[in-house]
Amino acid sequence: MKTIRTKEDYLQSLRELGSVIYFNGQRVADITTHPAFIPHINAAAKTYELAQRPESEDLATAISHLTGKRINRFTHIHQSVEDLIKKVQLLRLIAHETGSCFQRCVGWDAMNATYMTTYEIDQKHGTQYHARFVEFLKRIQSENFMLVGGMTDPKGDRSLPPAQQEDLDLFTHVVEKNDKGIVIRGAKAHQTGGANSHEILLMPTQAMRPDDADFALVAAVPLNAPGVVQIFGRQTNDERKLTGGMDAGNPDYGLVGGETLIVFENVFVPWERVFMLGETEFAGLLVERFATLHRQNYGGCKGGVSDILVGACALASEMQGSAKASHVKEKLAEMMHLAETLYAGSVACSAMGSKTASGAFYPDPLLANCTKHNVTRHIYEIARLAHDVAGGILATMPSEKDLNSPEVGGYVRKYMAGVKGVSPENRMRILRLIENMTSGTALVESMHGAGSPQTQKVMYGRLGKMDMKKKMAAKLAGVQ
Amino acid sequence: MRVALKFCGGCDPGFERGEYWQAIARAAGPEIEWARLEEEGCQAVLLICGCDTACPQKDMPPGLRQVCLKDDRLAPGQVVKKILQKE
Ligand SMILES: Cc1cc2nc3c(=O)[nH]c(=O)nc-3n(C[C@H](O)[C@H](O)[C@H](O)COP(=O)(O)OP(=O)(O)OC[C@H]3O[C@@H](n4cnc5c(N)ncnc54)[C@H](O)[C@@H]3O)c2cc1C
């Protein structure tokens, strides 16, 4: 397989892969020509395109510590604090190009978490997982593949552990082991970029107990392996993408990542692709590391997406004649403040990162969790301010077809007028972009992507050093 | 003169770095032969950075004369003069 460099290489690789994918009740033969998938493919393709551009290669590429070759940064294992910071900078940069999720960070975080954790499993158990994973990683770096970070299981009854579920397939697990490999069943839910990735790196979804050994699995599976079936999720206003044009809001790019439910129906995985199996005591550590690395990202990508939204709101207010109102200026400043606060958190957790036993660098977990927790709030507040500044027209605007209708197009132009000289069409385009970036699916990603808010809150209990805080307070107060 | 061109990554630049470089290259014409930083024989490096942090500045090879731009305020012709040390 040759290295994927350009967007065309990437599209060709997806055509050759031919994963089994369903959307809206039908099998999709070629996602690269299907309008529901093209916007998401365009967004992911940016991770390839920017690595080719002199203006962005400093962030979009890195030198592999395994081969010494220049590689796409999305396949790199972080070797320093500077690498961690560059990761966040890169995410902001790409978000400026796409205004939406570009999907490839999840697999990147999965690779980094697996790299660190397999090293430690081998130290304790004398297993060969790390060496196997390094060989796998070298191939991913050389082919420049896109990986899904496959953590979240469907989970069924959330009050029960995996082994006690009525249907064991609600957590991905091993059903057979033989001298060649293992056979797995189950599914991973909400898999970002699943349809347009090459492989999935499976990880356990949560800490595991000793009797959950068959669920404590880390393995890589090509997405065209026999028995793998993907079902593409619906998103807010996704039918507008099918017709394209202005009503889609951000017509060339997706709304969030384009997530699939990935089903594993007795899928064979050879041993060289198994990187953990049964070491239940490491499941929690792996989950925590993946979560920290993923939570580190959100001030980068959501900060970048918010930059676009601020710009769109500023343009809308200029077009509508409200830009000089002091409360509008204040609201735009507040939106920027919230976005930069998110970015600051991502940079801070990177700057305070440290080296793991494997040599790979890891962000400060408390600060990374704090950043993602802010995302679950600030993005909603930024969207609220955007709705305020843009006006009720966001919810009631006529369609592009009405704008172009011989019968009513004149009315739409006349009554969509704003400041003299502003084209009603441009005003409508900007308003549609704001609608697209602040509604439904776009917000839910900020809430649950990389974990629901409570999974970040619990980290304060674990990492918040409460005993020291109490001691400091007691000392100042003179408590004996 | 052979000059290496290096951009910062562009996480949140304050101006269009690519367009600015194109204007500089037009102003320079054949007087400057542009190269990549890894290439041999460069007499200077033009660094185009999107903000004051200028991330790549610290990684520049020692001994290579640097012209580092952190905004697009200088006219392209002036930048060329600076590179060619004609001012
Ligand atoms: C757009 C998007 C993209 C995503 N991309 C990926 C991806 O690429 N890879 C991946 O692996 N995952 C991905 N996820 C999944 C994401 O990590 C999960 O959505 C998240 O972990 C929450 O899990 P859930 O959706 O099953 O919600 P639930 O677990 O159902 O949570 C709903 C609520 O129930 C609470 N809850 C759940 N279980 C318990 C419990 N046992 N005790 C107390 N409270 C509980 C939660 O705190 C929350 O308040 C993505 C999610 C979204 C929305």
Side-chain angles (χ1 to χ4, degrees):
Chain A
M1 172 84 194
K2 72 178 183 105
T3 305
I4 301 170
R5 292 189 201 284
T6 63
K7 180 176 180 182
E8 194 35 56
D9 293 344
Y10 173 52
L11 294 178
Q12 182 59 25
S13 73
L14 295 178
R15 284 189 283 266
E16 283 167 15
L17 192 68
S19 303
V20 177
I21 297 161
Y22 285 79
F23 174 60
N24 228 1
Q26 291 192 327
R27 171 109 185 242
V28 180
D30 179 5
I31 59 163
T32 67
T33 54
H34 192 295
F37 295 85
I38 289 171
H40 302 287
I41 294 173
N42 285 343
K46 279 283 166 205
T47 67
Y48 292 97
E49 292 175 290
L50 292 185
Q52 302 293 317
R53 266 194 220 163
E55 297 99 306
S56 42
E57 65 171 9
D58 198 62
L59 294 178
T61 66
I63 302 297
S64 167
H65 73 294
L66 298 174
T67 62
K69 291 191 178 144
R70 188 164 286 279
I71 52 168
N72 191 297
R73 188 174 288 278
F74 280 94
T75 65
H76 184 52
I77 300 297
H78 317 300
Q79 296 299 302
S80 61
V81 159
E82 191 183 354
D83 271 349
L84 291 174
I85 294 175
K86 282 192 171 184
K87 177 193 191 198
V88 173
Q89 291 178 299
L90 172 62
L91 302 180
R92 189 168 186 174
L93 160 71
I94 308 180
H96 287 168
E97 299 265 337
T98 61
S100 78
C101 171
F102 34 90
Q103 312 145 32
R104 215 172 156 191
C105 65
V106 205
W108 187 13
D109 296 329
M111 285 189 276
N112 273 273
T114 302
Y115 185 90
M116 296 166 192
T117 310
T118 50
Y119 184 89
E120 287 161 39
I121 303 174
D122 288 359
Q123 297 281 300
K124 180 166 178 205
H125 291 286
T127 41
Q128 294 300 313
Y129 295 132
H130 189 70
R132 272 185 203 167
F133 184 70
V134 166
E135 285 314 304
F136 169 77
L137 183 62
K138 279 188 196 159
R139 196 174 60 75
I140 296 300
Q141 290 186 340
S142 137
E143 290 172 345
N144 198 5
F145 268 4
M146 173 164 161
L147 258 63
V148 178
M151 178 158 283
T152 312
D153 288 299
K155 296 185 296 213
D157 181 341
R158 270 95 173 128
S159 68
L160 297 175
Q164 287 175 25
Q165 295 287 329
E166 176 76 23
D167 179 353
L168 294 182
D169 295 347
L170 288 164
F171 285 77
T172 307
H173 63 122
V174 176
V175 289
E176 189 188 321
K177 293 177 201 168
N178 58 45
D179 55 345
K180 294 203 174 66
I182 59 174
V183 177
I184 61 169
R185 284 184 66 80
K188 291 287 176 183
H190 326 287
Q191 296 302 290
T192 294
N196 48 296
S197 292
H198 305 96
E199 304 222 2
I200 181 167
L201 185 51
L202 297 167
M203 300 164 285
T205 206
Q206 60 192 45
M208 299 273 166
R209 306 187 203 180
D211 60 349
D212 294 325
D214 289 343
F215 302 83
L217 169 71
V218 179
V221 180
L223 286 163
N224 63 354
V228 178
V229 176
Q230 300 195 56
I231 306 161
F232 192 63
R234 295 220 66 167
Q235 301 182 341
T236 311
N237 296 332
D238 55 7
E239 273 162 354
R240 296 191 195 173
K241 296 274 182 200
L242 303 182
T243 46
M246 176 200 295
D247 289 348
N250 183 5
D252 292 338
Y253 297 101
L255 185 65
V256 303
E259 278 68 29
T260 58
L261 174 69
I262 307 186
V263 179
F264 302 93
E265 191 68 27
N266 295 329
V267 175
F268 172 72
V269 186
W271 283 114
E272 63 265 25
R273 287 173 156 273
V274 177
F275 310 123
M276 175 173 125
L277 180 55
E279 290 80 6
T280 47
E281 76 276 27
F282 282 95
L285 179 66
L286 182 79
V287 172
E288 187 175 318
R289 283 186 168 157
F290 169 77
T292 292
L293 284 154
H294 203 39
R295 291 169 193 172
Q296 172 204 10
N297 301 343
Y298 270 68
C301 61
K302 296 294 172 219
V305 165
S306 300
D307 290 333
I308 307 279
L309 197 51
V310 173
C313 289
L315 285 171
S317 65
E318 283 166 18
M319 290 170 169
Q320 297 171 172
S322 57
K324 293 202 174 90
S326 61
H327 79 95
V328 170
K329 285 190 214 160
E330 150 58 26
K331 280 165 185 158
L332 293 174
E334 176 67 8
M335 289 168 81
M336 285 195 265
H337 166 72
L338 293 168
E340 296 297 347
T341 303
L342 298 179
Y343 187 61
S346 284
V347 172
C349 69
S350 308
M352 297 299 284
S354 57
K355 195 175 183 173
T356 62
S358 69
F361 273 68
Y362 180 61
D364 180 279
L366 188 62
L367 295 180
N369 276 278
C370 165
T371 304
K372 170 65 215 324
H373 198 75
N374 279 335
V375 167
T376 68
R377 300 175 181 182
H378 290 7
I379 293 298
Y380 282 74
E381 179 61 8
I382 290 171
R384 189 184 75 80
L385 291 165
H387 289 180
D388 180 347
V389 171
I393 192 69
L394 272 191
T396 63
M397 191 161 65
S399 68
E400 184 176 14
K401 280 195 176 142
D402 290 319
L403 174 73
N404 295 326
S405 148
E407 290 90 38
V408 295
Y411 291 138
V412 175
R413 274 170 215 284
K414 179 176 163 72
Y415 294 109
M416 281 304 297
V419 168
K420 191 174 168 212
V422 169
S423 102
E425 183 178 330
N426 282 344
R427 180 178 171 221
M428 289 172 76
R429 283 184 187 281
I430 280 293
L431 291 168
R432 283 283 179 232
L433 178 64
I434 297 172
E435 181 197 21
N436 167 282
M437 294 178 74
T438 55
S439 49
T441 313
L443 292 179
V444 180
E445 189 203 5
S446 293
M447 181 64 73
H448 289 289
S452 313
Q454 184 59 15
T455 59
Q456 293 115 44
K457 265 290 171 68
V458 292
M459 298 308 276
Y460 287 101
R462 289 212 17 240
L463 302 171
K465 306 184 194 91
M466 185 59 94
D467 283 349
M468 278 305 291
K469 288 179 169 61
K470 287 193 281 190
K471 270 188 194 155
M472 291 185 291
K475 189 175 158 195
L476 283 181
V479 174
Q480 299 301 313
Chain B
M1 182 191 278
R2 193 168 161 85
V3 176
L5 172 68
K6 175 76 185 164
F7 290 96
C8 76
C11 65
D12 193 23
F15 60 101
E16 295 280 358
R17 294 161 308 132
E19 285 176 15
Y20 191 37
W21 175 69
Q22 279 166 10
I24 294 165
R26 274 196 303 275
E31 282 201 81
I32 293 180
E33 182 197 342
W34 298 100
R36 290 177 65 87
L37 192 58
E38 304 84 64
E39 291 175 37
E40 308 260 302
C42 292
Q43 288 152 279
V45 56
L46 174 66
L47 266 173
I48 305 187
C49 302
C51 74
D52 284 348
T53 309
C55 291
Q57 205 171 14
K58 62 185 181 317
D59 300 324
M60 288 302 106
L64 191 60
R65 193 166 59 80
Q66 275 182 37
V67 175
C68 182
L69 305 173
K70 299 173 184 176
D71 55 52
D72 59 355
R73 276 181 292 191
L74 208 56
Q78 291 300 113
V79 177
V80 174
K81 277 188 186 161
K82 230 176 156 172
I83 298 171
L84 299 174
Q85 290 182 306
K86 283 188 177 166
E87 54 175 19

